[in-house]
């Protein structure tokens, strides 16, 4: 099972006022690059939670390889595959998120979960009619990012679907 993972608004909440409170003194994790000004808003414990889902994690973000060089070490994750984004965003006319078609293409018929803060019902409907396997498109509140409540939804869906 693939898990496409956005960064901004998903792992990095836009509403966070400052550094995640657990950072002192155990954080940042060993080997983590901390020169990104907002990286300290990302809860490093999310890496272990994501890994515990038992999915193949894939970056679905505009961060590109910066997700692997800066964020992955912060989260204690290995280098992850990256989705390559097309140059055009013709999907605005179809009211689809510009990531929707590329993610379905990248999944190549495999079941997947997509966690993002910009997913809409149009994306869900398009995936349901154009993707032959099961898929969960889970929208995260961009102000707070990925929470324990989101993990409950993901785990329940994965369990019902047999991972």
């Amino acid at each position: 099972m693939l898990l496409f993972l956005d960064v901004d608004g998903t792992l990095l909440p836009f509403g966070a006022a400052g550094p995640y409170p657990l950072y002192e003194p155990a954080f940042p994790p060993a080997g983590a690059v901390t020169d990104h000004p907002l990286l300290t808003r990302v809860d490093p414990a999310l890496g272990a939670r994501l890994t515990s889902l038992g999915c193949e994690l894939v970056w679905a973000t505009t961060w590109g390889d910066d997700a692997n060089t800066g964020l992955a070490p912060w989260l204690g994750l290995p280098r992850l595959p990256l989705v390559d984004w097309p140059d055009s965003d013709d999907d605005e006319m179809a009211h689809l998120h510009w990531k929707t078609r590329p993610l379905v293409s990248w999944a190549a018929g495999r079941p997947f979960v997509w966690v993002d803060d910009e997913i809409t019902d149009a994306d869900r409907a398009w995936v349901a009619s154009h993707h032959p396997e099961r898929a969960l498109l889970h929208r995260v509140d961009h102000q707070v990012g990925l929470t324990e409540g989101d993990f409950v939804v993901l785990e329940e869906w994965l369990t019902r679907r047999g991972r």
Side-chain angles (χ1 to χ4, degrees), residues 21 39 44 50 53 76 101 105 118 125 129 135 139 152:
L39 191 59
L50 289 163
L53 295 173
R101 291 177 202 249
S105 177
E118 297 179 343
S129 65
R139 185 177 179 131
V152 168

Side-chain angles (χ1 to χ4, degrees), residues 8-147:
D8 293 322
T10 302
L11 294 176
L12 195 162
F14 291 130
Y20 192 77
L22 297 179
Y23 290 175
E24 302 301 330
F27 296 104
V33 177
T34 59
D35 60 351
H36 189 286
L38 300 178
L39 191 59
T40 58
R41 294 183 178 186
V42 178
D43 178 357
L46 289 173
R49 287 295 281 128
L50 289 163
T51 301
S52 75
L53 295 173
C55 296
E56 178 186 340
L57 302 176
V58 178
W59 292 121
T61 177
T62 57
W63 277 47
D65 199 48
D66 287 346
N68 277 322
T69 59
L71 191 53
W74 184 264
L75 294 169
L77 296 173
R79 291 184 67 82
L80 303 177
L82 298 161
V83 175
D84 241 351
W85 304 116
D87 290 332
S88 70
D89 62 352
D90 297 334
D91 289 327
E92 274 191 30
M93 295 304 288
H95 305 288
L96 289 180
H97 192 284
W98 58 269
K99 292 180 182 178
T100 305
R101 291 177 202 249
L103 291 179
V104 168
S105 177
W106 207 96
R110 294 174 286 177
F112 70 86
V113 173
W114 174 21
V115 180
D116 202 303
D117 64 312
E118 297 179 343
I119 295 168
T120 68
D121 288 338
D123 302 306
R124 290 184 185 96
W126 193 89
V127 170
S129 65
H130 291 87
H131 184 63
E133 262 295 343
R134 63 194 185 275
L136 171 65
L137 280 65
H138 182 71
R139 185 177 179 131
V140 172
D141 180 345
H142 69 280
Q143 289 292 94
V144 295
L146 199 55
T147 66

